[in-house]
Amino acid sequence: MIAAVRLGLRLAGGGAATAGSRLRSGMVALTGAVGTLLMLGVLAIAHSEAGRSDHGLVSSHGMSLLLATVVVTVALPVLVLAATAGRLAASMRDRRLANLRLLGMTGARTRVVAAVETGTAAAVGTLAGWVLFLLARPVLVAWHPVGRHWDLSTLSPTAAGYAVVLVAVPAAVTLVSASPSRGGGADALAQARRAADRRPPMWRLVPLVLGAALAAYVLLAADPRRSNEALIPFMFTGIVALGLGAVLVVPSFVRLVADALVRGRSPAAVIAGRRLQDQPAATSRLVAGLLIGLFVVTGARAVVVAFEQTPQYQAAARLQTTGQIANGWTSATRADAARERWGRFPFIRTTATFPQLSSPTCQQDGPTCVRAVVGTCADLARVFGPVPGCREDEPAWLWGPYGQAGPTIRLTSERPTGEPDRGAASLAVPAPTYRLPAAVADELETDLFLPRSTPGLQPLLVHTPAQLVAVGKPGVDLGAALDRRLTEPPDFSYSLPDTSYYDFVAGLRELVWAVATVVLSIGLLAFAVGAIDRALSRRPELVSLQLAGVSPRLLRRTQWLEAALPLGAGVVLAVGLGALAGATYLAFGNEAHAIPWPQTLTLAGVSLGASVVVAALTVIAASPRIRPDLIRAE
């Protein structure tokens, strides 16, 4: 056993190691350092966030679930990266260890050789990643990523987190590196003869087909006009099945790409297809890590869209984009004067007044309470911008006629408790229309929009208090400016939208993009490390093809196809499945939301562009000059 350990150490970088072995050991150490640095950083941030009390609208349980999701999302591609490092030069090492088995070395000792060879480099890389994390902590505190501020004293994983990362990363590399040599003599002989891998079984397609079927059912059955609670089991089952299918289908997907290339007429396509057929599992492992991350991030972006479409978010978002909006109250007799006074303020761009009526049941907070504002489409457009669907000839529900019974609605002027009723108007219950944006209803705190031309309203408007809506420039300083000017009278009291919800959603959006960046970087690094290693392992083979008369240009085209096609097509597959999962989630609620295609296509485009860069690196690594040592190796 000691001899096996010594052989593993020599292969990892000792005096007997070749330049290729030392390069592979360096790549293993690099992946160990990167994986350790990222996992310690994510766990440190999660630990710091879990101890905060300013999570706004998120409960402690919800924040714990969110942090756990982020940790798992980053951990999955890190584990794939570790597995990729453990499988570096897999074909060469499998043949080498298989030859040792044929020479009489036991399976246990061959596993020790493989484990020591990669485990030593992984342990060195893990220690380096730990040191880098300690140096990076002050940078994270000063950088404030995703708008968060952390204290250096809390920005550290727990003792259990340190133990898990410092043990799990090198252990994952070691276990994967030892796995090829577990077979018996027949397997060793097959490895030595370079037998081709078997075709992936068809059962791998079952979760993907099931997930797609359930997602299609939810999309067709969901109705925004009613409750969709019965679809919850189908939605969650479909999303989980799509995620599982995105992982399991990768070998079949790579084999499908390989078979398509083999049927082509181009010599480069045929060679690339034969190579992919020779080791589809190796390519599958390289692509799987990126696909998992892209699927999760694309689906998570759809969740953020559901938050972004809520009225409270859109109302606060207008503060930062279109303009700040303040709602004031004024009596009917002073409405024109208040509007004129507010309009003279230099920080106010435009104003509008909306008299407000309510049903008598609102005085007792009854279940059939209806609040209505009176105005014109021009008033709405002045403060909210273009309002699609607004009409001057009929009322329109903004939230829906909840709890209404009977053919008519009785409306009176809003008045303080104890004041006499100054009359009422009755109008037919409007049809359940939802033409105006929900953000308008949320801003005006009303259920029903009534045009000023509605019959029977004019006598009431003489005594009806009005909402005074003022629009300022984008920003968050309108409240302070109004406080300085509005010291009296009390008629001019006002309110501004709460920004806590906006801050939460904005932070969640930045978090998703930050995780997307990390996941994309890890996945591309894993693919680059594995693909370059495979290209280096095949240098003798490429030299033999050049000696046989194959041009270097044809070999470069072959490498382009072998690297770019599975990766590029995999990106499209992962983003497409993630978008389908996101659409299923968005269709489930009581309001239909569309997939954010601009952001989704941006993520896919960046991923494809990075894939091209990675493919170019593999082409460079797979373009060797003809050297005697490469000829002898082949």
Short mmCIF file of all heavy atoms in Angstrom, two decimals, residues 204-248:
data_model
loop_
_atom_site.label_atom_id
_atom_site.label_comp_id
_atom_site.label_asym_id
_atom_site.label_seq_id
_atom_site.Cartn_x
_atom_site.Cartn_y
_atom_site.Cartn_z
N ARG A 204 -33.80 7.87 -19.27
CA ARG A 204 -33.34 9.20 -18.92
C ARG A 204 -34.26 10.30 -19.46
O ARG A 204 -34.26 11.42 -18.96
CB ARG A 204 -31.93 9.44 -19.44
CG ARG A 204 -30.85 8.66 -18.68
CD ARG A 204 -29.48 8.91 -19.28
NE ARG A 204 -28.41 8.36 -18.46
CZ ARG A 204 -27.80 9.02 -17.49
NH1 ARG A 204 -28.16 10.25 -17.22
NH2 ARG A 204 -26.84 8.45 -16.78
N LEU A 205 -35.04 9.98 -20.47
CA LEU A 205 -35.94 10.97 -21.05
C LEU A 205 -37.25 11.10 -20.29
O LEU A 205 -37.99 12.07 -20.50
CB LEU A 205 -36.24 10.61 -22.51
CG LEU A 205 -35.04 10.53 -23.46
CD1 LEU A 205 -35.50 10.05 -24.83
CD2 LEU A 205 -34.35 11.88 -23.58
N VAL A 206 -37.56 10.13 -19.41
CA VAL A 206 -38.87 10.10 -18.76
C VAL A 206 -39.12 11.35 -17.91
O VAL A 206 -40.18 11.99 -18.03
CB VAL A 206 -39.01 8.81 -17.93
CG1 VAL A 206 -40.30 8.85 -17.10
CG2 VAL A 206 -39.00 7.60 -18.83
N PRO A 207 -38.20 11.78 -17.01
CA PRO A 207 -38.50 12.98 -16.21
C PRO A 207 -38.71 14.23 -17.06
O PRO A 207 -39.59 15.04 -16.75
CB PRO A 207 -37.25 13.13 -15.32
CG PRO A 207 -36.66 11.77 -15.26
CD PRO A 207 -36.92 11.15 -16.60
N LEU A 208 -37.95 14.36 -18.14
CA LEU A 208 -38.10 15.53 -18.99
C LEU A 208 -39.47 15.54 -19.67
O LEU A 208 -40.15 16.58 -19.71
CB LEU A 208 -36.99 15.57 -20.03
CG LEU A 208 -36.95 16.81 -20.93
CD1 LEU A 208 -36.73 18.05 -20.10
CD2 LEU A 208 -35.87 16.67 -21.98
N VAL A 209 -39.89 14.39 -20.20
CA VAL A 209 -41.20 14.32 -20.86
C VAL A 209 -42.32 14.56 -19.85
O VAL A 209 -43.28 15.29 -20.12
CB VAL A 209 -41.36 12.95 -21.55
CG1 VAL A 209 -42.77 12.79 -22.11
CG2 VAL A 209 -40.32 12.78 -22.66
N LEU A 210 -42.18 13.97 -18.64
CA LEU A 210 -43.20 14.18 -17.61
C LEU A 210 -43.27 15.64 -17.20
O LEU A 210 -44.37 16.22 -17.07
CB LEU A 210 -42.87 13.31 -16.40
CG LEU A 210 -43.78 13.49 -15.17
CD1 LEU A 210 -45.20 13.10 -15.51
CD2 LEU A 210 -43.25 12.68 -13.98
N GLY A 211 -42.11 16.27 -16.99
CA GLY A 211 -42.11 17.68 -16.61
C GLY A 211 -42.71 18.58 -17.67
O GLY A 211 -43.47 19.50 -17.37
N ALA A 212 -42.38 18.31 -18.95
CA ALA A 212 -42.94 19.11 -20.03
C ALA A 212 -44.45 18.94 -20.12
O ALA A 212 -45.19 19.91 -20.36
CB ALA A 212 -42.28 18.73 -21.35
N ALA A 213 -44.93 17.70 -19.91
CA ALA A 213 -46.38 17.45 -19.97
C ALA A 213 -47.10 18.18 -18.84
O ALA A 213 -48.15 18.80 -19.05
CB ALA A 213 -46.64 15.96 -19.91
N LEU A 214 -46.57 18.11 -17.62
CA LEU A 214 -47.20 18.80 -16.50
C LEU A 214 -47.16 20.31 -16.67
O LEU A 214 -48.13 21.01 -16.34
CB LEU A 214 -46.51 18.39 -15.19
CG LEU A 214 -46.72 16.94 -14.75
CD1 LEU A 214 -45.90 16.63 -13.51
CD2 LEU A 214 -48.20 16.66 -14.47
N ALA A 215 -46.04 20.84 -17.18
CA ALA A 215 -45.95 22.27 -17.42
C ALA A 215 -46.97 22.72 -18.45
O ALA A 215 -47.63 23.76 -18.30
CB ALA A 215 -44.54 22.64 -17.87
N ALA A 216 -47.13 21.94 -19.52
CA ALA A 216 -48.11 22.28 -20.54
C ALA A 216 -49.53 22.24 -19.97
O ALA A 216 -50.37 23.10 -20.30
CB ALA A 216 -47.99 21.30 -21.72
N TYR A 217 -49.79 21.28 -19.09
CA TYR A 217 -51.13 21.21 -18.47
C TYR A 217 -51.42 22.44 -17.62
O TYR A 217 -52.50 23.02 -17.69
CB TYR A 217 -51.23 19.94 -17.63
CG TYR A 217 -52.49 19.87 -16.81
CD1 TYR A 217 -53.73 19.62 -17.41
CD2 TYR A 217 -52.46 20.10 -15.43
CE1 TYR A 217 -54.89 19.58 -16.65
CE2 TYR A 217 -53.62 20.05 -14.67
CZ TYR A 217 -54.83 19.80 -15.28
OH TYR A 217 -55.98 19.77 -14.54
N VAL A 218 -50.43 22.86 -16.82
CA VAL A 218 -50.63 24.05 -15.98
C VAL A 218 -50.83 25.29 -16.84
O VAL A 218 -51.70 26.12 -16.57
CB VAL A 218 -49.43 24.23 -15.03
CG1 VAL A 218 -49.52 25.55 -14.28
CG2 VAL A 218 -49.35 23.08 -14.03
N LEU A 219 -50.05 25.42 -17.91
CA LEU A 219 -50.18 26.59 -18.78
C LEU A 219 -51.56 26.65 -19.44
O LEU A 219 -52.12 27.73 -19.63
CB LEU A 219 -49.09 26.57 -19.85
CG LEU A 219 -47.65 26.81 -19.36
CD1 LEU A 219 -46.66 26.60 -20.49
CD2 LEU A 219 -47.52 28.22 -18.79
N LEU A 220 -52.09 25.50 -19.79
CA LEU A 220 -53.40 25.46 -20.44
C LEU A 220 -54.55 25.60 -19.46
O LEU A 220 -55.59 26.17 -19.78
CB LEU A 220 -53.55 24.16 -21.24
CG LEU A 220 -52.62 24.00 -22.46
CD1 LEU A 220 -52.78 22.62 -23.07
CD2 LEU A 220 -52.87 25.08 -23.49
N ALA A 221 -54.38 25.05 -18.26
CA ALA A 221 -55.48 25.03 -17.29
C ALA A 221 -55.55 26.27 -16.42
O ALA A 221 -56.60 26.58 -15.86
CB ALA A 221 -55.37 23.79 -16.40
N ALA A 222 -54.45 27.00 -16.27
CA ALA A 222 -54.43 28.17 -15.38
C ALA A 222 -55.34 29.27 -15.93
O ALA A 222 -55.35 29.55 -17.13
CB ALA A 222 -53.01 28.69 -15.23
N ASP A 223 -56.11 29.87 -15.04
CA ASP A 223 -57.04 30.94 -15.41
C ASP A 223 -56.82 32.11 -14.45
O ASP A 223 -57.04 31.98 -13.25
CB ASP A 223 -58.49 30.44 -15.31
CG ASP A 223 -59.48 31.45 -15.87
OD1 ASP A 223 -59.07 32.61 -16.13
OD2 ASP A 223 -60.66 31.12 -16.03
N PRO A 224 -56.37 33.27 -14.95
CA PRO A 224 -56.11 34.41 -14.05
C PRO A 224 -57.36 34.98 -13.40
O PRO A 224 -57.26 35.77 -12.47
CB PRO A 224 -55.44 35.44 -14.99
CG PRO A 224 -55.91 35.07 -16.35
CD PRO A 224 -56.05 33.59 -16.35
N ARG A 225 -58.55 34.57 -13.87
CA ARG A 225 -59.78 35.12 -13.31
C ARG A 225 -60.30 34.33 -12.12
O ARG A 225 -61.32 34.68 -11.54
CB ARG A 225 -60.86 35.15 -14.41
CG ARG A 225 -60.52 36.10 -15.55
CD ARG A 225 -61.47 35.92 -16.70
NE ARG A 225 -61.38 34.59 -17.28
CZ ARG A 225 -62.11 34.17 -18.32
NH1 ARG A 225 -62.98 34.98 -18.87
NH2 ARG A 225 -61.95 32.94 -18.78
N ARG A 226 -59.62 33.24 -11.75
CA ARG A 226 -60.09 32.43 -10.62
C ARG A 226 -58.88 31.88 -9.87
O ARG A 226 -57.74 32.03 -10.29
CB ARG A 226 -60.97 31.27 -11.11
CG ARG A 226 -60.27 30.33 -12.08
CD ARG A 226 -61.18 29.17 -12.47
NE ARG A 226 -60.58 28.30 -13.46
CZ ARG A 226 -59.70 27.34 -13.20
NH1 ARG A 226 -59.32 27.13 -11.94
NH2 ARG A 226 -59.21 26.58 -14.16
N SER A 227 -59.17 31.24 -8.75
CA SER A 227 -58.11 30.62 -7.96
C SER A 227 -57.57 29.38 -8.67
O SER A 227 -58.34 28.59 -9.24
CB SER A 227 -58.65 30.23 -6.58
OG SER A 227 -57.68 29.51 -5.86
N ASN A 228 -56.25 29.22 -8.63
CA ASN A 228 -55.61 28.08 -9.28
C ASN A 228 -54.92 27.15 -8.26
O ASN A 228 -53.93 26.50 -8.58
CB ASN A 228 -54.57 28.58 -10.29
CG ASN A 228 -55.20 29.34 -11.44
OD1 ASN A 228 -56.08 28.84 -12.13
ND2 ASN A 228 -54.76 30.57 -11.64
N GLU A 229 -55.45 27.12 -7.02
CA GLU A 229 -54.81 26.34 -5.98
C GLU A 229 -54.75 24.86 -6.32
O GLU A 229 -53.83 24.15 -5.90
CB GLU A 229 -55.52 26.54 -4.65
CG GLU A 229 -55.39 27.95 -4.08
CD GLU A 229 -56.03 28.07 -2.72
OE1 GLU A 229 -56.53 27.05 -2.21
OE2 GLU A 229 -56.03 29.19 -2.17
N ALA A 230 -55.71 24.37 -7.08
CA ALA A 230 -55.72 22.95 -7.42
C ALA A 230 -54.54 22.57 -8.31
O ALA A 230 -54.19 21.39 -8.42
CB ALA A 230 -57.03 22.58 -8.12
N LEU A 231 -53.90 23.56 -8.93
CA LEU A 231 -52.78 23.27 -9.83
C LEU A 231 -51.43 23.25 -9.11
O LEU A 231 -50.40 22.99 -9.75
CB LEU A 231 -52.73 24.31 -10.95
CG LEU A 231 -53.95 24.40 -11.87
CD1 LEU A 231 -53.77 25.53 -12.86
CD2 LEU A 231 -54.15 23.07 -12.61
N ILE A 232 -51.42 23.54 -7.80
CA ILE A 232 -50.15 23.60 -7.07
C ILE A 232 -49.36 22.31 -7.18
O ILE A 232 -48.16 22.33 -7.49
CB ILE A 232 -50.40 23.97 -5.59
CG1 ILE A 232 -50.85 25.42 -5.48
CG2 ILE A 232 -49.14 23.77 -4.76
CD1 ILE A 232 -51.13 25.87 -4.06
N PRO A 233 -49.96 21.12 -6.93
CA PRO A 233 -49.16 19.88 -7.05
C PRO A 233 -48.59 19.68 -8.45
O PRO A 233 -47.45 19.23 -8.60
CB PRO A 233 -50.16 18.78 -6.67
CG PRO A 233 -51.23 19.47 -5.89
CD PRO A 233 -51.34 20.83 -6.48
N PHE A 234 -49.38 19.99 -9.47
CA PHE A 234 -48.90 19.81 -10.84
C PHE A 234 -47.76 20.78 -11.15
O PHE A 234 -46.79 20.42 -11.84
CB PHE A 234 -50.06 20.01 -11.83
CG PHE A 234 -51.19 19.06 -11.63
CD1 PHE A 234 -52.32 19.45 -10.93
CD2 PHE A 234 -51.13 17.77 -12.13
CE1 PHE A 234 -53.37 18.57 -10.74
CE2 PHE A 234 -52.18 16.88 -11.95
CZ PHE A 234 -53.30 17.28 -11.25
N MET A 235 -47.87 22.02 -10.63
CA MET A 235 -46.83 23.01 -10.90
C MET A 235 -45.50 22.58 -10.29
O MET A 235 -44.47 22.55 -10.97
CB MET A 235 -47.25 24.37 -10.35
CG MET A 235 -46.21 25.46 -10.55
SD MET A 235 -46.52 26.95 -9.58
CE MET A 235 -46.27 26.34 -7.92
N PHE A 236 -45.51 22.26 -8.99
CA PHE A 236 -44.26 21.91 -8.33
C PHE A 236 -43.68 20.60 -8.87
O PHE A 236 -42.47 20.48 -9.07
CB PHE A 236 -44.47 21.80 -6.82
CG PHE A 236 -44.48 23.13 -6.15
CD1 PHE A 236 -45.65 23.65 -5.60
CD2 PHE A 236 -43.33 23.89 -6.05
CE1 PHE A 236 -45.66 24.88 -4.97
CE2 PHE A 236 -43.33 25.13 -5.43
CZ PHE A 236 -44.50 25.62 -4.89
N THR A 237 -44.53 19.63 -9.13
CA THR A 237 -44.04 18.37 -9.69
C THR A 237 -43.43 18.58 -11.06
O THR A 237 -42.38 18.02 -11.39
CB THR A 237 -45.19 17.34 -9.77
OG1 THR A 237 -45.77 17.17 -8.48
CG2 THR A 237 -44.67 15.99 -10.26
N GLY A 238 -44.08 19.41 -11.88
CA GLY A 238 -43.54 19.69 -13.21
C GLY A 238 -42.20 20.40 -13.17
O GLY A 238 -41.28 20.06 -13.92
N ILE A 239 -42.06 21.39 -12.26
CA ILE A 239 -40.80 22.12 -12.18
C ILE A 239 -39.68 21.21 -11.70
O ILE A 239 -38.56 21.22 -12.25
CB ILE A 239 -40.96 23.33 -11.24
CG1 ILE A 239 -41.89 24.37 -11.88
CG2 ILE A 239 -39.61 23.95 -10.92
CD1 ILE A 239 -42.19 25.55 -10.99
N VAL A 240 -39.95 20.37 -10.67
CA VAL A 240 -38.92 19.44 -10.18
C VAL A 240 -38.55 18.44 -11.27
O VAL A 240 -37.37 18.11 -11.47
CB VAL A 240 -39.42 18.73 -8.91
CG1 VAL A 240 -38.46 17.62 -8.51
CG2 VAL A 240 -39.58 19.73 -7.78
N ALA A 241 -39.55 17.94 -11.98
CA ALA A 241 -39.28 16.97 -13.05
C ALA A 241 -38.46 17.60 -14.17
O ALA A 241 -37.56 16.96 -14.74
CB ALA A 241 -40.59 16.41 -13.60
N LEU A 242 -38.73 18.85 -14.50
CA LEU A 242 -37.94 19.52 -15.54
C LEU A 242 -36.49 19.69 -15.09
O LEU A 242 -35.56 19.49 -15.88
CB LEU A 242 -38.55 20.89 -15.85
CG LEU A 242 -39.81 20.92 -16.71
CD1 LEU A 242 -40.36 22.33 -16.81
CD2 LEU A 242 -39.54 20.36 -18.09
N GLY A 243 -36.29 20.07 -13.82
CA GLY A 243 -34.92 20.21 -13.32
C GLY A 243 -34.18 18.90 -13.31
O GLY A 243 -33.01 18.81 -13.72
N LEU A 244 -34.85 17.82 -12.85
CA LEU A 244 -34.22 16.50 -12.86
C LEU A 244 -33.97 16.03 -14.29
O LEU A 244 -32.93 15.45 -14.60
CB LEU A 244 -35.12 15.50 -12.12
CG LEU A 244 -34.59 14.07 -11.96
CD1 LEU A 244 -33.29 14.06 -11.17
CD2 LEU A 244 -35.63 13.19 -11.30
N GLY A 245 -34.94 16.30 -15.17
CA GLY A 245 -34.77 15.90 -16.56
C GLY A 245 -33.65 16.64 -17.25
O GLY A 245 -32.94 16.07 -18.10
N ALA A 246 -33.43 17.93 -16.88
CA ALA A 246 -32.33 18.70 -17.47
C ALA A 246 -30.98 18.08 -17.17
O ALA A 246 -30.03 18.21 -17.94
CB ALA A 246 -32.37 20.14 -16.97
N VAL A 247 -30.88 17.40 -16.01
CA VAL A 247 -29.62 16.74 -15.64
C VAL A 247 -29.50 15.38 -16.29
O VAL A 247 -28.47 15.03 -16.88
CB VAL A 247 -29.53 16.62 -14.10
CG1 VAL A 247 -28.24 15.90 -13.71
CG2 VAL A 247 -29.58 17.99 -13.45
N LEU A 248 -30.57 14.58 -16.21
CA LEU A 248 -30.50 13.21 -16.69
C LEU A 248 -30.44 13.11 -18.21
O LEU A 248 -29.91 12.15 -18.75
CB LEU A 248 -31.71 12.42 -16.17
CG LEU A 248 -31.78 12.19 -14.67
CD1 LEU A 248 -33.05 11.42 -14.31
CD2 LEU A 248 -30.56 11.43 -14.18
#
